[in-house]
Amino acid sequence: MSKVVAVADVHGCYDLLSKAMEEHLGSGAEVIFLGDLIDRSPQPLGDIKVVNFVRRLQQKPEEYGFSKVTVLRGNHEQLLCDAIRRDDSELWEINGGSPAFLDYVKKNPRVHSWLRNLPYYVIRGDYLFVHAGVRPEVPINEQSVHDFLWIREDFTESPHMLPYTIVHGHTIQNSDKPVYGSDRISCDLGAFATGNLCTLNLSY
């Protein structure tokens, strides 16, 4: 039996993240971040603190008692990478991007490279982990990157018909706990606004 802790939409909430991870230290689980580590941070330099913390976890998971740490790409990581590529950060900043974090990434090419190379989804057993969701009735290898990062109602309001329980963030739930559906688990609890950060325990 393998264990997973899914963490959704941290959005620069470093204090919430560091506290939430304490109960999982030494668990031997794989930690899977569902994207949107950054933007809309309610605390100064929260994005920098979160990214540095998560990268430390990923580089040396055994020091924290984890088997592995996987970080998925969210739409906010994509917006940042697009802003740097285009040399135009206006859209990203409208969506909560921090100029201080942009400067930090530009000065740290390893962080930029790490962000550019984050995967879109992973499968563990019967679970598919992804940031936003999938296009219903489309095989996983035919899904679009845009849907992995951005889809909302077309996914949340219809059965997806894929052979997985999909664990996702992106769409904020009106709940202080993950919301379970017949074929999905919705984990974005709006941490930056509510103070509730989801860490979901699963086994497969």
Side-chain angles (χ1 to χ4, degrees):
M1 187 75 69
S2 298
K3 296 185 289 186
V4 168
V5 178
V7 185
D9 297 73
V10 178
H11 281 296
C13 297
Y14 173 73
D15 291 345
L16 287 179
L17 177 61
S18 57
K19 183 177 181 181
M21 295 309 295
E22 287 177 0
E23 67 180 273
H24 303 288
L25 297 176
S27 65
E30 176 183 4
V31 182
I32 300 179
F33 289 91
L34 300 177
D36 283 9
L37 295 176
I38 61 170
D39 300 347
R40 301 175 179 161
S41 174
Q43 60 187 113
L45 304 180
D47 296 327
I48 295 174
K49 292 177 180 178
V50 165
V51 165
N52 285 340
F53 179 53
V54 171
R55 291 185 74 228
R56 285 198 303 273
L57 291 178
Q58 189 174 48
Q59 289 164 358
K60 297 185 177 181
E62 68 283 352
E63 292 189 1
Y64 300 88
F66 299 126
S67 62
K68 185 178 182 180
V69 174
T70 299
V71 185
L72 302 181
R73 183 188 312 233
N75 59 301
H76 283 264
E77 284 82 23
Q78 187 66 55
L79 282 169
L80 171 60
C81 291
D82 290 344
I84 295 173
R85 178 172 55 83
R86 297 170 180 164
D87 195 24
D88 181 357
S89 63
E90 181 178 2
L91 177 61
W92 173 66
E93 290 187 36
I94 289 172
N95 281 276
S98 161
F101 185 65
L102 178 63
D103 289 342
Y104 174 78
V105 174
K106 286 182 175 179
K107 292 174 182 176
N108 290 272
R110 290 184 179 179
V111 176
H112 186 198
S113 176
W114 179 76
L115 290 165
R116 287 199 318 269
N117 288 287
L118 295 177
Y120 296 103
Y121 71 92
V122 292
I123 295 169
R124 301 287 185 263
D126 293 331
Y127 294 101
L128 188 155
F129 299 83
V130 65
H131 177 62
V134 296
R135 178 71 51 184
E137 301 188 52
V138 176
I140 190 66
N141 60 349
E142 297 177 16
Q143 294 280 338
S144 75
V145 165
H146 185 272
D147 284 337
F148 287 144
L149 298 176
W150 289 97
I151 197 168
R152 289 195 193 273
E153 289 81 4
D154 287 347
F155 165 66
T156 59
E157 297 180 3
S158 302
H160 58 72
M161 307 304 289
L162 272 66
Y164 306 104
T165 296
I166 294 183
V167 183
H168 70 98
H170 187 59
T171 298
I172 297 175
Q173 303 300 301
N174 185 23
S175 172
D176 61 359
K177 297 178 181 178
V179 175
Y180 289 77
S182 60
D183 58 0
R184 72 199 68 207
I185 307 174
S186 303
C187 299
D188 185 357
L189 307 181
F192 69 93
T194 66
N196 295 321
L197 178 65
C198 176
T199 58
L200 173 69
N201 291 295
L202 296 168
S203 298
Y204 65 93

